[in-house]
Amino acid sequence: VGAEDSHVQVSVIHYDELAPIRHSRTLWGVYGVFLLDDDAEQLSYGSGKYDYSVGSIVCVSPSQIGGVPNDGSTFQRRGWALLFSPELFHGTNYEKQLLRMEFFHYHVNKALAITMQEQKDCETLLRILYGELAEAKRENVIRKLIELILAYCSSFFNRQYSAGSGTKCSHIVSRLEHLLEDYYTTGKQRTQGLPTVRFCADSLCVAPNYLGDLIRNETGDSANHFIGRFIVRRAKSLLMSGKSVAETANSLGFDVPSHLSRFFNRMEGITPSAYIRQTQKIQE
């Protein structure tokens, strides 16, 4: 969008300072928190629409698809955006909390409603983070500021989707995400290897082809590739926590480390070992 990057894993964008930007439909590779002060776009989200208004917060996470197809036209966005790589929290205690934050999940297709004072509070935090990224670049402060912003989002979400409100709904993509998390949490990979589309379909009580259709309709991606991207994210987390390629392969359910290397390279265009070196160089 023409904003300058001052940090390799985090960006704070003030759209009011930018020229008009082109419409785009995006497969997100980062987390995004958008504090929007306009409703100039009719946003799509998966195969549906995203409901938002002026003075609300839109949240996206890696592997989600949304935006407006690029037809060559431009529009003036107003407000703020916080974008950060999932690698920022790889290997930290906060990473598990991040994965459990429901306002980042696909079943939430409505923006977080906030008051004018809450909007000002969030803008203040974003301005502080913006200054930190431009000058001091203290990694611990950057992480804590992001955690604080997400704590605000959690409180907004809990208020909006309080128990008994009836606004939470069952969503196939969200159910699949929870299923994959549970697969590894309970250690099924130790005996069953990598999760398959058939296993997921059986667990969700749908036919494999139907599951594939549902996932493709919601995300534009195949079920097999969706599962693959989940495994890659988990692999990156293990690698960045200090696990070797062999240990990571074993933890994920690969038969041998070379199978992980080929899988990772096919999905990311880089081997696990090269990814470790690249990330370590960035952090230095």
Side-chain angles (χ1 to χ4, degrees):
V1 296
E4 291 187 11
D5 284 331
S6 55
H7 189 285
V8 72
Q9 293 179 326
V10 185
S11 290
V12 173
I13 298 169
H14 191 199
Y15 285 110
D16 298 43
E17 299 174 353
L18 303 180
I21 59 177
R22 289 179 65 147
H23 293 289
S24 66
R25 185 164 167 81
T26 304
L27 170 61
W28 293 97
V30 296
Y31 287 95
V33 176
F34 299 87
L35 180 61
L36 298 181
D37 213 16
D38 71 82
D39 55 2
E41 283 190 308
Q42 185 178 22
L43 296 176
S44 64
Y45 192 53
S47 63
K49 298 297 181 183
Y50 195 100
D51 184 10
Y52 79 106
S53 59
V54 175
S56 59
I57 296 178
V58 174
C59 301
V60 300
S61 66
S63 300
Q64 295 179 355
I65 297 174
V68 175
N70 181 8
D71 60 1
S73 63
T74 63
F75 72 107
Q76 183 64 60
R77 176 104 281 171
R78 298 295 183 189
W80 293 80
L82 163 61
L83 307 173
F84 63 94
S85 167
E87 296 171 5
L88 183 70
F89 291 102
H90 276 347
T92 68
N93 294 330
Y94 190 75
E95 183 176 23
K96 290 183 179 179
Q97 296 182 47
L98 186 59
L99 293 172
R100 291 195 297 266
M101 290 178 178
E102 287 198 69
F103 54 87
F104 279 128
H105 289 185
Y106 247 129
H107 72 263
V108 180
N109 59 358
K110 181 178 176 62
L112 301 178
I114 58 176
T115 66
M116 290 183 64
Q117 184 57 53
E118 289 167 343
Q119 181 178 357
K120 291 178 181 178
D121 293 340
C122 290
E123 287 179 355
T124 297
L125 290 174
L126 288 167
R127 289 183 188 279
I128 294 171
L129 179 55
Y130 185 88
E132 186 69 29
L133 292 171
E135 298 177 9
K137 294 184 175 64
R138 293 168 292 196
E139 293 297 314
N140 61 325
V141 175
I142 290 170
R143 289 192 181 93
K144 289 300 181 183
L145 283 168
I146 292 174
E147 290 176 22
L148 182 56
I149 292 168
L150 298 184
Y152 269 78
C153 291
S154 291
S155 69
F156 303 150
F157 176 84
N158 291 334
R159 178 181 64 199
Q160 186 165 324
Y161 293 92
S162 58
S165 66
T167 50
K168 285 185 179 179
C169 61
S170 175
H171 191 288
I172 191 65
V173 177
S174 186
R175 290 170 60 199
L176 179 55
E177 288 175 337
H178 285 300
L179 175 65
L180 293 171
E181 287 288 349
D182 182 68
Y183 188 91
Y184 281 101
T185 301
T186 57
K188 287 186 176 67
Q189 78 279 15
R190 302 292 184 186
T191 56
Q192 300 184 42
L194 299 176
T196 64
V197 173
R198 178 167 292 280
F199 170 84
C200 293
D202 290 345
S203 299
L204 296 171
C205 300
V206 296
N209 288 342
Y210 183 56
L211 176 62
D213 289 342
L214 291 173
I215 298 300
R216 189 177 296 280
N217 287 340
E218 291 295 335
T219 70
D221 207 354
S222 69
N224 195 53
H225 200 255
F226 183 93
I227 294 169
R229 286 193 277 110
F230 175 90
I231 294 170
V232 166
R233 292 198 302 274
R234 200 170 185 94
K236 287 181 176 180
S237 177
L238 291 169
L239 292 169
M240 291 312 300
S241 69
K243 298 289 186 183
S244 67
V245 175
E247 289 171 326
T248 299
N250 181 61
S251 295
L252 292 173
F254 287 90
D255 294 329
V256 293
S258 61
H259 289 175
L260 168 62
S261 295
R262 287 199 293 271
F263 177 87
F264 196 97
N265 193 32
R266 185 173 71 249
M267 296 290 294
E268 294 291 297
I270 189 174
T271 65
S273 297
Y275 170 77
I276 293 173
R277 292 193 298 270
Q278 181 186 79
T279 306
Q280 288 175 339
K281 185 177 180 181
I282 289 173
Q283 292 179 341
E284 291 172 358

